[in-house]
Amino acid sequence: MALSPFISLLALSFAGISLGQSTTETVWASFAYVLYGERTPVLGESPVTLTPLGAQQLYSQGSLFRARYLSNSSLSDEDNRITTNSAIVGLEKDVIDNNQISIYSTPDDFVTGSTLAFMQGLYPPVAGSSDASTLANGTTIEYPLNGYQYPNIQTLSGLDPNSIWLAGHSGCSEYWSSGNAFTGEAYARQLYNASLAFYQTTWAEVFPDALSASTVNFNHAYDLYEYAQFAYAHNQTARAALNDARLARLRTLADDQQFALNGDLSASGRESGDRIRAVAGRTLAGRVVAQLSTHIASAGTSDKLTLAFGSFEPFLAFFSLAGLAESDDNGSAVLFRQVPQPGAAMVFELLSTNNDTSPYPSSSDLRVRFLYRNGTDPDAPLEEYPLFGSSSGSRLPWSSFRERMGAFAIKDIAGWCRACGAITLFCIALDSSSSGSPPSGTLFGGDGGGSPSPAVAGVIGALTALAVVGAGAASAFVLGGVRVRRCGAGHRRSSSLGGFKGAEKMASDRDVSVVRGGARHARVGSWELGGPGPVPVGGESGLPPKQDAAFFGASVHEKADGDDDVDSIIGRAPVKPLESI
Ligand SMILES: *[C@@H]1O[C@H](CO)[C@@H](O)[C@H](O)[C@H]1NC(C)=O
Ligand SMILES: *[C@@H]1O[C@H](CO)[C@@H](O)[C@H](O)[C@H]1NC(C)=O
Ligand SMILES: *[C@@H]1O[C@H](CO)[C@@H](O)[C@H](O)[C@H]1NC(C)=O
Ligand SMILES: *[C@@H]1O[C@H](CO)[C@@H](O)[C@H](O)[C@H]1NC(C)=O
Ligand SMILES: *[C@@H]1O[C@H](CO)[C@@H](O)[C@H](O)[C@H]1NC(C)=O
Ligand SMILES: *[C@@H]1O[C@H](CO)[C@@H](O)[C@H](O)[C@H]1NC(C)=O
Ligand SMILES: *[C@@H]1O[C@H](CO)[C@@H](O)[C@H](O)[C@H]1NC(C)=O
């Protein structure tokens, strides 16, 4: 197994953090939500993509998960400071079994790229992994790149109902309205006034003429921090001019802004008390419980490991909902009010407190613990934190975990559509199906483990198609249909699976990719004022958030020039239909 420079660095330097390895516990399943790695900044001039450093960050995070879940026994001393060995019962250790693992990614290429990099660390290349390697004439043939392994990554675009579990905020109109209102709130105005001079002098001194003056203020706090952080990491001149203190202040402002936009539980949308700004945490919680429930119902045979990759909003929202941002005993509240570092991971583990690996425990013996790793620094530990300000220790019995999560989780798509006032096709479809009883429970992906979801998804697909026609959105559909057929004729340039376009990347992709990344990630920092910037952050300025181009109409509008990355929105499973045409 090839070790990244980052993992080998584990051997160096750090204060011993004892994680007290317990031998009397057995991990049965795990759900991890992982943030993408370093990317080029949204406000920058180049398209938003994963950087080599970002890929290394995710690779090292994947390697750490490998050490935790897939290594046989005790870890080396170095690894042991960062994580304990907690092998998941029955999970294939060397050769990936895509039936055991569910991998979900949002469609941005820096996220799918992050997903692939993580998987390269989790399941590194292995020679002789397949019985099918040997040919009749005696020759042995390995997979390319010394036995590269192929994970089945499900990329969920905004038109896929299941995307709400990964990015519940993304298509949520009420979330955007509430965020819009934030700029007018006293808290925001006060920060705006207090920081305006700082922003302006910093930019004048460090990045003269780089951004338009109307962009350089607190309303763009996150994007500006990202811009400065990127320059700090990559440009020596800028690093010296910027200095640590200013970067730290930019970060604090970005943290304050994003925590208010995603973790402020007092803000409401359509119904009072609906905690609309934390909607992404509410959907994520629903998914975590559903995924672990499926695992338990299958007596441990399915959904052993679920890996979800996306943006930072769900982190902050969940931290806030789960009381992590409040419990101040250990000062960890500070940590949970910050935008996570690139590659950060939060993990939910289902375990029993004995070391019997069979039979599968009864659900009353199962417990859940929550872990968080603040980025991918070699000395950043994967640490356990108590949820819900739990005084009863950090491991909650499964039943109370489910109950506490259920108190704020969004459990079905109709619930999300209601709370969000979303106008996505699948919401229209659910709305117009007069039965009003949407299929509940296992709506998420579920290709692993033979859950009923494909059928359910089919129903939703059919309803969607009907609603499209019924709602007079037929033109969009026709465009989509035409595009699918055209692709079938052999024009497809790149798989919807990944962001690695390499040499085949066409000129038309450039703008698209700025718009995609920009639209999805500029909006929190940038759409509020809709101010004109030097780059198209958030698509057309003033675009109502609910029309977030990347979410709703990317394939229909922006992509008309031949980028077919998101054709998969037409079908449910993003990969198969295209491959099999
Ligand atoms: C892990 O243990 C299994 C069975 O005990 C063994 O076959 C395998 O070689 C071990 N793998 C490693 C990496 O030590
Ligand atoms: C065996 O077959 C493979 C594929 O047909 C071919 O590439 C290889 O050269 C053959 N080996 C020998 C020893 O003939
Ligand atoms: C911010 O500054 C504006 C203009 O100077 C002023 O009208 C407003 O009252 C200030 N707001 C706060 C919260 O200080
Ligand atoms: C580094 O930053 C400075 C300004 O801070 C800028 O003028 C220069 O072009 C940057 N260099 C590169 C290689 O981007
Ligand atoms: C605080 O930290 C200590 C050890 O670092 C841990 O034992 C304790 O449970 C923590 N308490 C809370 C409320 O996080
Ligand atoms: C999170 O990680 C960053 C980078 O490693 C570090 O600078 C920061 O202090 C950490 N935050 C906390 C609260 O530990
Ligand atoms: C757990 O395993 C250890 C050794 O691996 C053994 O000594 C201990 O008795 C086991 N505990 C239980 C509860 O089975």
Side-chain angles (χ1 to χ4, degrees):
M1 161 184 168
L3 290 176
S4 85
F6 289 82
I7 283 294
S8 13
L9 274 177
L10 296 183
L12 308 174
S13 84
F14 48 100
I17 302 153
S18 171
L19 289 176
Q21 184 161 3
S22 164
T23 53
T24 54
E25 65 187 26
T26 306
V27 176
W28 297 91
S30 173
F31 184 115
Y33 192 95
V34 185
L35 182 62
Y36 54 78
E38 190 202 55
R39 58 174 188 177
T40 50
V42 165
L43 291 181
E45 271 148 32
S46 44
V48 182
T49 54
L50 186 68
T51 63
L53 174 62
Q56 292 289 356
Q57 288 166 336
L58 269 289
Y59 179 84
S60 87
Q61 190 67 285
S63 303
L64 184 84
F65 274 63
R66 175 168 184 78
R68 182 175 183 82
Y69 292 139
L70 305 178
S71 70
N72 259 352
S73 55
S74 54
L75 299 169
S76 63
D77 284 351
E78 308 88 65
D79 280 348
N80 203 12
R81 296 205 172 102
I82 308 274
T83 185
T84 54
N85 174 243
S86 307
I88 296 177
V89 177
L91 193 63
E92 282 297 333
K93 291 188 190 310
D94 293 313
V95 181
I96 192 169
D97 177 350
N98 280 306
N99 294 316
Q100 291 185 331
I101 307 183
S102 307
I103 311 164
Y104 302 102
S105 166
T106 60
D108 314 76
D109 64 5
F110 49 87
V111 182
T112 52
S114 295
T115 308
L116 283 167
F118 181 98
M119 294 309 298
Q120 288 182 306
L122 187 66
Y123 281 105
V126 52
S129 63
S130 168
D131 293 343
S133 291
T134 314
L135 303 181
N137 65 12
T139 310
T140 300
I141 299 199
E142 299 294 353
Y143 287 108
L145 304 172
N146 303 317
Y148 186 92
Q149 307 202 52
Y150 300 99
N152 180 357
I153 299 169
Q154 300 189 45
T155 310
L156 305 174
S157 89
L159 287 193
D160 189 322
N162 290 316
S163 66
I164 70 166
W165 311 117
L166 293 190
H169 61 289
S170 182
C172 184
S173 314
E174 290 290 334
Y175 168 85
W176 297 114
S177 314
S178 182
N180 236 334
F182 172 66
T183 49
E185 289 169 11
Y187 177 64
R189 299 233 60 85
Q190 187 197 336
L191 282 171
Y192 184 101
N193 282 11
S195 63
L196 190 58
F198 164 70
Y199 276 117
Q200 287 177 348
T201 37
T202 301
W203 253 259
E205 285 174 29
V206 187
F207 312 106
D209 304 324
L211 302 174
S212 92
S214 63
T215 312
V216 184
N217 59 51
F218 177 72
N219 290 323
H220 302 266
Y222 181 74
D223 290 338
L224 293 172
Y225 162 70
E226 184 185 46
Y227 185 90
Q229 163 64 42
F230 185 83
Y232 184 85
H234 293 266
N235 178 334
Q236 215 171 2
T237 326
R239 187 184 186 106
L242 189 60
N243 77 42
D244 291 355
R246 284 206 277 214
L247 185 68
R249 177 148 189 219
L250 288 171
R251 175 158 182 105
T252 305
L253 287 163
D255 289 339
D256 290 346
Q257 182 204 34
Q258 292 305 320
F259 191 77
L261 286 171
N262 296 288
D264 179 354
L265 303 183
S266 65
S268 299
R270 293 177 142 190
E271 290 166 27
S272 76
D274 65 8
R275 297 182 272 200
I276 194 68
R277 288 200 192 153
V279 66
R282 297 183 60 200
T283 51
L284 179 70
R287 194 56 227 161
V288 170
V289 172
Q291 206 73 358
L292 295 180
S293 297
T294 312
H295 169 82
I296 293 171
S298 76
T301 55
S302 81
D303 299 287
K304 291 181 200 291
L305 179 59
T306 305
L307 301 167
F309 295 82
S311 186
F312 58 80
E313 290 88 349
F315 281 89
L316 293 173
F318 182 80
F319 293 163
S320 186
L321 288 163
L324 290 160
E326 278 145 37
S327 72
D328 229 346
D329 302 13
N330 287 356
S332 60
V334 176
L335 176 62
F336 292 113
R337 287 170 167 267
Q338 294 173 353
V339 175
Q341 299 286 331
M346 58 177 164
V347 183
F348 302 84
E349 285 180 353
L350 188 71
L351 54 100
S352 59
T353 50
N354 58 46
N355 50 3
D356 301 334
T357 54
S358 77
Y360 192 78
S362 77
S363 64
S364 59
D365 291 335
L366 289 168
R367 294 177 170 264
V368 177
R369 68 179 164 204
F370 173 82
L371 304 104
Y372 178 59
R373 184 166 186 233
N374 170 28
T376 59
D377 260 24
D379 55 353
L382 180 62
E383 236 182 323
E384 206 171 319
Y385 296 92
L387 291 177
F388 313 116
S390 175
S391 48
S392 59
S394 54
R395 288 132 195 235
L396 287 168
W398 163 248
S399 56
S400 45
F401 174 78
R402 197 179 49 187
E403 192 185 313
R404 299 298 294 269
M405 295 281 273
F408 56 78
I410 288 179
K411 301 180 187 90
D412 55 36
I413 288 163
W416 180 85
C417 292
R418 263 197 313 277
C420 285
I423 53 159
T424 64
L425 293 183
F426 56 82
C427 286
I428 296 169
L430 281 175
D431 224 25
S432 60
S433 67
S434 54
S435 75
S437 60
S440 59
T442 52
L443 279 170
F444 190 81
D447 287 12
S451 75
S453 322
V456 170
V459 171
I460 291 201
L463 289 174
T464 303
L466 287 174
V468 166
V469 175
S475 61
F477 183 73
V478 168
L479 278 176
V482 167
R483 290 169 52 68
V484 165
R485 275 189 293 278
R486 184 182 61 71
C487 297
H491 291 277
R492 208 165 62 79
R493 286 178 289 105
S494 62
S495 159
S496 57
L497 181 66
F500 294 153
K501 294 176 183 173
E504 292 184 337
K505 190 172 188 303
M506 293 191 9
S508 63
D509 282 352
R510 189 179 183 283
D511 299 322
V512 167
S513 128
V514 168
V515 169
R516 282 168 88 197
R520 186 161 291 114
H521 289 278
R523 70 258 167 285
V524 166
S526 303
W527 46 260
E528 292 94 335
L529 293 188
V535 288
V537 295
E540 305 82 341
S541 47
L543 191 71
K546 58 179 172 255
Q547 290 296 348
D548 181 348
F551 176 75
F552 188 83
S555 77
V556 176
H557 305 297
E558 269 78 17
K559 305 257 172 161
D561 61 1
D563 186 297
D564 46 17
D565 278 3
V566 287
D567 285 349
S568 57
I569 57 168
I570 299 302
R572 229 210 105 260
V575 177
K576 279 186 201 142
L578 287 170
E579 300 299 334
S580 59
I581 283 171

